[in-house]
Amino acid sequence: MKFLIFDLEATCWESHVSHLYQQEIIEIGACIMNQYGEIESTFSSLVKPNIHKFLSPYCKNLTQINQEEINKAKIFPEVLDRFLDWADIPDVSYGFCAWGRADYNLILTDCKLHKLDSKWLIPYVDIKHQYHRNKELNKLMGLDKVLKTNGFEFEGQRHRALPDSLNLAKLVSKYVDEWVF
């Protein structure tokens, strides 16, 4: 089985108002890793949000994604179609991996919003949870700290989906035989 390691960026607002808004995916980044820990292919696409069409200043600053780029992006159903074609789903079996449950839940929410099937996202591996459990760590660490602990430096722009997924792939590769699907 191959690993499909993904990261998402989403609409976001400053913490004191974020609970007032529903997040939507604005970027999908992913890589396919074989059973030997080698990256075979990558995917990156911006996504035009459906509900909150304008990015907040906070979101633009955090992600460095500008409104013009978002305006030119395709909507989630079109990007998801391209993503599934790129990954050759359902013909190839994957373990879908992300750091925590937030991105997994965000895909489920966007699929529901657009009335799309999400069964393809199984099995899902929460790398953050499994890493901490496997290492018997009680205190949760962020991806940056876990990367450093394992001898890796974060490469690329933070809070962008493809660089985030490629950095997570380093950890997935190092422990390639330890993840449970």
Side-chain angles (χ1 to χ4, degrees):
M1 181 181 294
K2 295 183 180 188
F3 298 88
L4 195 151
I5 303 157
F6 69 95
D7 185 78
L8 307 173
E9 299 306 323
T11 52
C12 53
W13 300 266
E14 292 184 40
S15 60
H16 69 281
V17 295
S18 63
H19 66 282
L20 301 172
Y21 301 99
Q22 178 180 337
Q23 284 191 303
E24 290 178 89
I25 297 169
I26 58 169
E27 186 177 34
I28 300 173
C31 60
I32 294 171
M33 178 186 291
N34 65 26
Q35 65 271 24
Y36 306 109
E38 301 163 335
I39 303 292
E40 294 183 343
S41 182
T42 62
F43 178 90
S44 180
S45 182
L46 293 173
V47 180
K48 185 184 293 186
N50 191 49
I51 299 170
H52 304 287
K53 298 184 187 307
F54 296 98
L55 300 180
S56 71
Y58 174 83
C59 191
K60 289 187 275 189
N61 184 55
L62 180 69
T63 64
Q64 297 300 303
I65 297 171
N66 65 52
Q67 190 63 48
E68 294 75 30
E69 293 173 295
I70 288 298
N71 292 345
K72 293 176 187 173
K74 301 294 184 195
I75 60 173
F76 181 73
E78 293 176 47
V79 175
L80 184 62
D81 249 5
R82 283 194 312 113
F83 175 79
L84 297 174
D85 285 346
W86 162 76
D88 203 15
I89 296 168
D91 296 334
V92 177
S93 294
Y94 293 102
F96 292 90
C97 305
W99 185 253
R101 296 217 37 107
D103 287 349
Y104 174 78
N105 290 333
L106 194 54
I107 286 186
L108 295 180
T109 299
D110 270 25
C111 282
K112 186 175 181 179
L113 176 68
H114 294 279
K115 296 176 177 53
L116 300 171
D117 178 47
S118 60
K119 292 183 188 102
W120 55 269
L121 196 52
I122 297 169
Y124 175 72
V125 181
D126 178 341
I127 299 298
K128 182 179 184 178
H129 172 77
Q130 284 198 27
Y131 175 82
H132 286 84
R133 187 190 66 216
N134 292 350
K135 298 294 179 192
E136 298 179 358
L137 301 171
N138 294 324
K139 184 178 179 193
L140 292 179
M141 295 186 285
L143 181 58
D144 266 356
K145 189 168 183 178
V146 170
L147 287 171
K148 284 182 183 168
T149 300
N150 284 276
F152 301 115
E153 290 295 321
F154 190 96
E155 295 178 42
Q157 186 177 335
R158 285 174 171 75
H159 303 293
R160 289 304 299 261
L162 183 57
D164 286 355
S165 69
L166 290 170
N167 281 288
L168 179 57
K170 296 173 188 178
L171 192 65
V172 173
S173 178
K174 182 172 181 174
Y175 301 104
V176 72
D177 295 323
E178 296 182 25
W179 309 114
V180 178
F181 295 92

